[in-house]
Amino acid sequence: MSDFQQNKLFPFSLKTISLITWVIVAMVVANVSNVTAQQTVVKGRVIDAETGDPVPFVNMVFAGTTIGITTDFDGFYQLKTDLAVDSISASYIGYVTRVKPLQRGKVQNINFQLKQDLVNLQEVVFIAEENPAYEILRNVVRNKNKHDRRNLSAYEYESYNKTEFDINNLTEKLRSKKVFQKISSVMDSLVQIAGEDGKPVLPMFISESISRFYVKNNPKIQKEYIINTKVSGVGIDDGSLTSQLIGSTFQQYNFYANWVNLVNKEFISPIADGWKTYYEYSLEDSLYVGEHYCYKIDFWPKSEQDLAFTGTMWITRDEYALKQLDLSVNKTANLNYIEKIKIQQELVPTEASPWIAGKTRVVIDIGQLTKNSPSMVAKFYSSNKDFVVNKPYPSKFYETMIELDEGARIQPKGYWENNRHDSLTATEKNVYMMIDTLKNIPVVKTFTDVVKTAFTGYLKMGKFDLGPYVRSFANNEVEGIRLGIGARTNIDFSDRWILQAYGAYGFKDEKWKYRFAADYIISRKPWTKVGVETRRDMDQVWLLNDDLENGSIFFAFSQFGNITRPFNHLENTLKFETQIRNGLTQKVTFKQHDFSPLFPFQYYEDPGNNESAIGSSFSTSEISLETRFAKDEIFIQNDNNRVSLGTLKWPAFTIKYTHGFKGFLGGDFNYDKLNVNVTQSLKMGFFGVSRYSLSGGYIFSQLPYPLLKAHIGNESPFYTPIAFNLMDFFEFVSDRYASLQYRHSFEGFILNRIPLMKKLKWRLVANANILYGSLRDENLNVALPDLDENGVEIPAFRTFGNTPYIELGYGIENIFKVIRVDAFHRLTYLDTPDVRKFGVKISFQFIL
């Protein structure tokens, strides 16, 4: 082809074509760059304006589009689009929707603070067809066993827990008070904790802990090994007690169970077996949550005062597993002092199918006690990782349910920065700084000391505690005015030795009373302690009962007014206690006791021989073996003390055998006694909580009546669960007996259904106290009849016939949130003219 022909077909030269090609490429590149430059990217975090906490599951949407995402569990989000957008909205049920402007075509951070909004869910009516959420719920219940962690043979994980307590609603009137002026100046000098739109709060406590949590099922036993803790609080020391309470043991919420324990109350789970009875449901959406396509279901209780939840849950479409929840309990529920509870939980699947909580957040708003008083917010956060399933350890491994590493309170440099699961927010760093400042203010230190003294009964003064204050004053017909003072050492003195002393003086009998005691902790793992004690005092015969604690308020009250069969005594005790294994404790006690009556009392020194010498005073020497078995009892160590938090499910059994030695250290009698006791709390969901104590005992020997079983009566106007409340002091004595003391709190089960009553939040209670005993003639005849100054016989006590003693009671608790009133009817042994057939008792209690 000729050059002319080529030019006719291709009018552009190769040079020109090359130039055009580069221009086209440049235009394409420029266009792509322009598109990239115009893409809008927004990321940030959503928090609660009042508490400063992250808000998960919030709908983040570019306004005017369908492009959106939900915030993750920690409130973070990221969105991008090529569309022309100018604003982004954040919306979620229970919060006021908020819209913020954005800059188109840029990468930017936009954070939101959402204000809470009281939203009442509208009633949803399904006509003709079944509620579409019901079939999903039925499938969830069918698959519960597959996904419930209780069906694993064992599981374990590393747990990071964070706890914070803040005081809020600090009104200007409160801040203007003189006592708050120095505190207010501290608050004004620091960054406001809640943030740009939040309310000022006063942080009081923050803690962190890292532990390894172990569970073995069937039967369930658990163990938490606390690796490290960090505690900062106003009036709260970084002691061993606090370090044990902030771990994972007390942050367990399993919504696959029918009932969820929260603030020591039983709440019905939204996926309980009887879900349809308690809740209404609405299927709102279906969407991806991470890798799982989920159904989004809203739910709310049928009765607003029931202990139930309002919220949203996400159910996986393929497995019908619970993926995440956002729940709240509003102030309409039958709870005291609590305005609102919010729980958010995100679950993760394990390799064996069951799902375990990966992250849990709980926020509890504790309301104002009075109009001008502040309120409190309690926050709990738990993060779990490194799951291991179906690899149980030997049962001995779980013997100590909460174990604190010896170096747990030591803070190696950089430890928390490298080991906490999530970094601290700027807000939380401010909390630490503010607490360190507040706790050094003198007025704050004084106030916290007063509060701790009121709760413990002791005032800490360096290495010693002064008290207990309940035994500092008494007034009765024998001693007249009685003044006393006591003290004990604390852990600052020694982590092994506990020394105690108490002295009192009666201005009428002009006698000194005293108590000296020394305990030595041999081992903390297993708990093993030995102690000695000597005590000289004035007591009453009916108080010779192991069910009463010498330092209890009921015991202290008995020191006022008329005294029933008083005596002076000297008591020396040697005791040993050890934990044999988890739930099994053994005590051995040796006691020597001298008894000197202050009332007419005589007995045959050789029981059964009416011609033997007659005495009035006597001595005993005895040894007692006490075994206690409580399968799932939780113990914590409070400095130098071991404190029981009760059992989770199983009853606690106690068996005690006592043998008295005649001739040993002045003992006047040989005798044998046996006592058995079973106690348990039974949680019955909406029906309330029952508590029972079943006891039985037998005294095999002949003894004068001060050494027999004197059953505890109650002549005071106050209710006490350990006493028979219409029985007089020292009314009944036996040498063999069986008793049942049963209490039931209906919570709001009945009164919540009465329109005029439910706003009061009163709660019904019921009592049944039954006692059957007998006294063999050989013991009845050991003591001579008591005679007055004129030689007239004084009835000492009553004995049981063929009828048990029965009293039934009913009452109302939660009157003004703190008062309980019980009415009792005595049904048997009504034949004496001054018997109390009916009585009303009052008590004061702090309950939620």
Side-chain angles (χ1 to χ4, degrees):
M1 182 178 294
S2 66
D3 292 340
F4 175 78
Q5 290 174 319
Q6 288 181 1
N7 290 335
K8 293 286 287 185
L9 293 172
F10 302 99
F12 305 106
S13 67
L14 292 175
K15 188 175 181 179
T16 303
I17 293 174
S18 178
L19 179 62
I20 294 172
T21 302
W22 278 108
V23 170
I24 293 172
V25 170
M27 292 177 61
V28 170
V29 171
N31 187 56
V32 171
S33 299
N34 188 48
V35 170
T36 303
Q38 290 180 354
Q39 187 177 58
T40 303
V41 180
V42 183
K43 55 186 176 180
R45 196 180 197 190
V46 182
I47 65 172
D48 188 298
E50 188 168 322
T51 66
D53 294 314
V55 184
F57 322 135
V58 176
N59 299 311
M60 307 300 300
V61 180
F62 285 121
T65 75
T66 59
I67 300 172
I69 197 173
T70 59
T71 57
D72 65 15
F73 193 82
D74 297 308
F76 291 103
Y77 75 94
Q78 180 171 328
L79 267 177
K80 56 186 176 179
T81 183
D82 297 330
L83 300 178
V85 293
D86 57 11
S87 59
I88 184 172
S89 70
S91 63
Y92 191 53
I93 188 170
Y95 290 91
V96 176
T97 298
R98 190 167 183 185
V99 180
K100 283 191 174 186
L102 56 82
Q103 293 181 329
R104 188 185 308 170
K106 291 187 176 181
V107 178
Q108 56 211 287
N109 283 294
I110 300 179
N111 297 321
F112 285 81
Q113 289 189 338
L114 298 186
K115 295 181 179 180
Q116 295 186 21
D117 185 21
L118 298 177
V119 177
N120 295 317
L121 291 174
Q122 299 297 316
E123 183 179 0
V124 179
V125 179
F126 297 94
I127 302 174
E129 297 182 2
E130 183 186 51
N131 184 335
Y134 285 2
E135 181 58 28
I136 299 172
L137 266 296
R138 280 193 286 267
N139 281 312
V140 171
V141 173
R142 291 189 194 106
N143 286 276
K144 279 174 66 173
N145 287 338
K146 178 182 177 182
H147 303 309
D148 190 347
R149 67 192 185 197
R150 292 177 297 177
N151 289 302
L152 293 166
S153 63
Y155 58 90
E156 63 179 274
Y157 49 78
E158 181 182 289
S159 184
Y160 167 76
N161 290 274
K162 185 166 51 185
T163 303
E164 182 182 339
F165 289 91
D166 302 324
I167 293 177
N168 61 4
N169 286 329
L170 292 167
T171 62
E172 290 300 324
K173 182 177 180 180
L174 185 62
R175 295 181 67 177
S176 65
K177 291 183 179 294
K178 186 176 181 179
V179 71
F180 271 91
Q181 286 180 357
K182 290 187 176 181
I183 299 176
S184 296
S185 65
V186 173
M187 293 180 62
D188 294 337
S189 67
L190 295 175
V191 177
Q192 189 166 279
I193 294 295
E196 56 176 302
D197 295 324
K199 299 178 181 179
V201 298
L202 186 65
M204 299 299 291
F205 176 87
I206 187 170
S207 70
E208 298 175 87
S209 73
I210 290 181
S211 60
R212 193 73 186 174
F213 190 72
Y214 307 86
V215 175
K216 182 179 180 180
N217 287 315
N218 302 317
K220 181 180 178 180
I221 50 178
Q222 66 185 46
K223 175 187 179 74
E224 181 177 16
Y225 185 82
I226 301 175
I227 301 169
N228 215 313
T229 64
K230 183 179 181 181
V231 176
S232 182
V234 178
I236 300 176
D237 300 323
D238 185 9
S240 58
L241 174 64
T242 306
S243 296
Q244 293 167 85
L245 292 175
I246 62 175
S248 186
T249 298
F250 305 99
Q251 301 299 324
Q252 300 297 309
Y253 308 101
N254 183 9
F255 290 91
Y256 280 103
N258 289 332
W259 297 92
V260 180
N261 188 278
L262 182 64
V263 294
N264 207 30
K265 298 286 186 179
E266 294 289 297
F267 289 77
I268 186 71
S269 169
I271 59 170
D273 293 341
W275 52 272
K276 198 172 181 180
T277 304
Y278 306 105
Y279 286 101
E280 299 285 1
Y281 298 86
S282 174
L283 177 60
E284 293 295 310
D285 199 357
S286 56
L287 70 167
Y288 272 99
V289 179
E291 299 177 353
H292 298 88
Y293 196 76
C294 297
Y295 299 110
K296 179 183 177 184
I297 299 177
D298 290 344
F299 52 89
W300 58 98
K302 290 186 174 181
S303 174
E304 63 179 9
Q305 284 204 318
D306 284 346
L307 297 184
F309 301 102
T310 297
T312 304
M313 59 184 169
W314 289 259
I315 305 295
T316 62
R317 181 184 62 181
D318 297 331
E319 297 180 289
Y320 294 99
L322 195 58
K323 169 62 179 174
Q324 60 190 27
L325 300 108
D326 189 358
L327 316 173
S328 63
V329 178
N330 294 319
K331 62 182 180 181
T332 53
N334 197 328
L335 290 170
N336 288 330
Y337 313 108
I338 293 178
E339 291 291 313
K340 187 176 182 180
I341 300 174
K342 192 166 185 64
I343 305 176
Q344 295 156 336
Q345 188 175 82
E346 183 179 72
L347 293 92
V348 295
T350 64
E351 60 185 27
S353 290
W355 292 56
I356 298 179
K359 293 182 178 180
T360 303
R361 182 180 293 109
V362 179
V363 179
I364 302 176
D365 291 341
I366 302 170
Q368 297 170 278
L369 297 179
T370 63
K371 184 178 180 180
N372 294 318
S373 67
S375 58
M376 179 175 284
V377 177
K379 307 175 186 179
F380 307 91
Y381 172 77
S382 180
S383 173
N384 305 319
K385 67 179 184 179
D386 298 338
F387 298 95
V388 178
V389 298
N390 292 335
K391 293 183 179 180
Y393 295 89
S395 296
K396 187 175 178 59
F397 173 81
Y398 304 88
E399 283 189 356
T400 304
M401 295 186 69
I402 302 177
E403 184 176 347
L404 188 67
D405 187 273
E406 291 184 0
R409 288 174 284 166
I410 300 172
Q411 309 295 323
K413 185 177 180 180
Y415 177 85
W416 290 102
E417 288 75 10
N418 296 326
N419 289 277
R420 61 166 63 98
H421 292 190
D422 304 288
S423 60
L424 291 181
T425 65
T427 296
E428 290 162 342
K429 291 176 182 178
N430 275 336
V431 169
Y432 270 115
M433 181 173 61
M434 186 179 282
I435 288 175
D436 289 340
T437 305
L438 283 172
K439 63 185 180 183
N440 292 317
I441 298 176
V443 67
V444 175
K445 295 177 69 174
T446 301
F447 176 76
T448 54
D449 286 343
V450 170
V451 172
K452 284 193 288 187
T453 300
F455 275 94
T456 66
Y458 287 86
L459 174 64
K460 185 175 182 181
M461 302 181 68
K463 297 180 180 181
F464 299 89
D465 299 335
L466 194 66
Y469 65 83
V470 295
R471 298 214 63 198
S472 61
F473 176 80
N475 187 5
N476 57 69
E477 60 182 0
V478 175
E479 299 173 295
I481 293 177
R482 169 180 169 141
L483 300 179
I485 188 171
R488 68 184 183 188
T489 61
N490 55 46
I491 198 169
D492 294 335
F493 175 85
S494 172
D495 62 355
R496 293 285 183 178
W497 287 98
I498 308 147
L499 308 179
Q500 301 178 68
Y502 171 79
Y505 183 77
F507 287 87
K508 183 177 181 180
D509 65 357
E510 298 181 339
K511 291 183 179 296
W512 283 97
K513 290 84 178 176
Y514 61 81
R515 175 179 179 266
F516 299 101
D519 294 325
Y520 180 74
I521 301 172
I522 299 173
S523 170
R524 294 177 183 270
K525 182 186 176 183
W527 181 262
T528 305
K529 185 170 74 170
V530 64
V532 295
E533 177 184 333
T534 182
R535 184 168 75 100
R536 182 183 293 277
D537 212 331
M538 187 279 299
D539 277 326
Q540 303 172 68
V541 172
W542 68 275
L543 290 173
L544 287 171
N545 194 305
D546 294 335
D547 298 329
L548 282 173
E549 295 182 12
N550 186 265
S552 67
I553 294 178
F554 183 71
F555 184 92
F557 180 83
S558 69
Q559 302 289 311
F560 287 83
N562 295 327
I563 300 298
T564 303
R565 284 177 161 66
F567 65 93
N568 287 324
H569 68 111
L570 173 65
E571 185 177 272
N572 299 297
T573 304
L574 174 64
K575 53 189 177 182
F576 173 79
E577 174 187 353
T578 186
Q579 178 186 353
I580 298 176
R581 64 181 182 84
N582 187 35
L584 182 62
T585 302
Q586 181 65 55
K587 294 181 181 180
V588 181
T589 305
F590 178 80
K591 186 181 296 183
Q592 192 277 331
H593 186 209
D594 295 331
F595 175 93
S596 300
L598 299 176
F599 63 96
F601 171 73
Q602 291 181 316
Y603 70 98
Y604 294 107
E605 293 184 355
D606 181 11
N609 182 2
N610 291 349
E611 296 181 358
S612 67
I614 295 176
S616 59
S617 299
F618 60 79
S619 298
T620 62
S621 296
E622 64 179 33
I623 187 171
S624 298
L625 306 177
E626 181 178 321
T627 303
R628 176 179 172 83
F629 178 68
K631 187 173 182 179
D632 56 358
E633 188 169 20
I634 298 178
F635 283 99
I636 57 175
Q637 293 182 21
N638 180 15
D639 292 338
N640 288 334
N641 296 309
R642 184 171 180 251
V643 181
S644 171
L645 299 182
T647 59
L648 299 174
K649 178 180 178 181
W650 299 95
F653 299 88
T654 303
I655 181 168
K656 182 177 181 179
Y657 169 75
T658 302
H659 178 73
F661 300 91
K662 183 176 182 179
F664 182 68
L665 295 180
D668 291 318
F669 308 103
N670 280 317
Y671 53 87
D672 294 281
K673 301 179 180 180
L674 180 66
N675 181 266
V676 179
N677 176 259
V678 183
T679 59
Q680 187 179 16
S681 292
L682 300 172
K683 296 175 181 178
M684 300 181 177
F686 276 122
F687 296 101
V689 180
S690 287
R691 301 171 180 87
Y692 72 85
S693 176
L694 183 63
S695 298
Y698 194 92
I699 298 174
F700 297 88
S701 312
Q702 285 185 269
L703 294 170
Y705 65 74
L707 295 178
L708 303 178
K709 179 69 173 183
H711 303 285
I712 301 175
N714 183 9
E715 296 181 18
S716 78
F718 303 107
Y719 167 76
T720 176
I722 65 172
F724 295 90
N725 287 280
L726 292 181
M727 184 185 291
D728 292 337
F729 295 151
F730 202 65
E731 181 176 355
F732 286 96
V733 173
S734 64
D735 56 22
R736 46 188 170 178
Y737 68 94
S739 68
L740 171 65
Q741 292 177 295
Y742 181 85
R743 296 173 289 147
H744 186 82
S745 175
F746 288 94
E747 300 290 347
F749 174 63
I750 296 176
L751 296 185
N752 273 3
R753 272 68 183 172
I754 303 175
L756 297 179
M757 297 291 294
K758 63 181 182 180
K759 289 186 178 181
L760 296 173
K761 294 187 178 181
W762 288 359
R763 305 166 188 169
L764 287 178
V765 292
N767 294 270
N769 296 324
I770 303 172
L771 169 65
Y772 180 74
S774 65
L775 184 63
R776 303 190 303 275
D777 289 341
E778 59 188 45
N779 277 328
L780 186 61
N781 296 325
V782 170
L784 278 69
D786 295 345
L787 304 177
D788 63 15
E789 297 177 352
N790 299 318
V792 178
E793 181 176 338
I794 304 173
F797 52 82
R798 299 185 67 174
T799 58
F800 293 97
N802 295 323
T803 304
Y805 173 90
I806 301 174
E807 64 180 25
L808 300 179
Y810 48 87
I812 295 176
E813 63 181 356
N814 211 38
I815 302 172
F816 302 118
K817 297 184 179 180
V818 295
I819 299 175
R820 170 173 171 162
V821 178
D822 288 85
F824 287 91
H825 295 268
R826 177 166 167 167
L827 305 184
T828 56
Y829 297 98
L830 308 176
D831 50 333
T832 56
D834 56 348
V835 68
R836 293 177 296 151
K837 299 179 181 179
F838 175 79
V840 176
K841 304 289 183 179
I842 188 171
S843 57
F844 301 90
Q845 54 188 10
F846 181 85
I847 57 174
L848 295 179

